[in-house]
Amino acid sequence: MTNFTILEYPDPRLRKVAVEIDQVTPEITALADNMLRTMYDAPGIGLAATQVDHHVRLLVADVSEGRDQPYCLINPEIIAREGEVVNEEGCLSVPEIFANVKRSAKITVTALDKHGTPFELEAEDLLAICIQHEMDHLKGILFVDHLSPLKRRMIDRRLQKQRRQGANTAHQRSATL
Ligand code: K1U
Ligand code: ZN
């Protein structure tokens, strides 16, 4: 099966709010598997269904060094938060742009796995940040929405410039704002 195409900002489909998954069908399991493949190939550490134009509450993540600890969270809900952390984030839907975002340092999430089994996960460090970033996608929120209007304008201008320039190398284009 071919990988999904990842939608890019400012595509309005990234602003859709995802709906709950009533039943974990074989189609949902296949969606999760294809999202994981797309995430690993991108490469990324997370991916929300919204980013591949599927507007259901499903996200995948793998922050492990070996890229061998995949998580699939269906209908994720954060039931507890602790502390705050500021960390540099990127987004496969906002290529080559990096910026500091404030998030909860530790979260407890409930979700269903890709077989429909409920589980609870205590996440901290990069996994907690990644899950919050992906859960934002499911609400139509992008990491740039957490930034000041000035930084947003800088990003918009930079992305316009990137698109005009086309095929420059990534290291010339990337920017931390
Ligand atoms: O949602 C996405 O677009 C994926 C995004 C997740 C994320 C990154 C950083 C902080 C919070 C959430 C990415 O995976 S961007 C790529 C990236 O960070 C990465 C890619 C390969 C190796 C290590 C990191
Ligand atoms: Zn993202």
Side-chain angles (χ1 to χ4, degrees), residues 51 91 133 137:
Q51 291 175 280
C91 181
H133 176 114
H137 276 302

Side-chain angles (χ1 to χ4, degrees), residues 5-16 50-51 53 55 93-94 140 142 159 163:
T5 299
I6 298 174
L7 301 178
E8 288 190 7
Y9 174 81
D11 192 310
R13 290 171 290 180
L14 286 168
R15 297 306 186 177
K16 289 190 181 181
T50 308
Q51 291 175 280
D53 204 18
H55 302 282
S93 296
V94 192
L142 294 163
L159 287 170
R163 284 177 189 130

Side-chain angles (χ1 to χ4, degrees), residues 81-85 103-107 123-126 128-129 132:
R81 297 175 180 270
E82 232 180 88
E84 275 183 356
V85 68
R103 303 277 188 192
S104 301
K106 198 172 165 183
I107 55 172
E124 54 191 336
D125 304 320
L126 189 54
I129 292 165
Q132 290 171 82

Side-chain angles (χ1 to χ4, degrees), residues 88-89 95-99 155 158 162 170-177:
E88 189 174 272
E89 297 190 13
E96 318 299 344
I97 301 289
F98 300 89
I155 287 172
R158 188 165 281 276
Q162 276 178 21
H171 75 273
Q172 284 173 313
R173 282 184 283 139
S174 70
T176 301
L177 293 155

Side-chain angles (χ1 to χ4, degrees), residues 2 22 30 34 36 38 45 51 103 112 118-119 130 136 140 156:
T2 52
D22 292 336
N34 199 354
L36 275 168
T38 304
I45 56 169
Q51 291 175 280
R103 303 277 188 192
L112 304 177
F119 68 100
C130 184
D136 268 0
D156 286 346

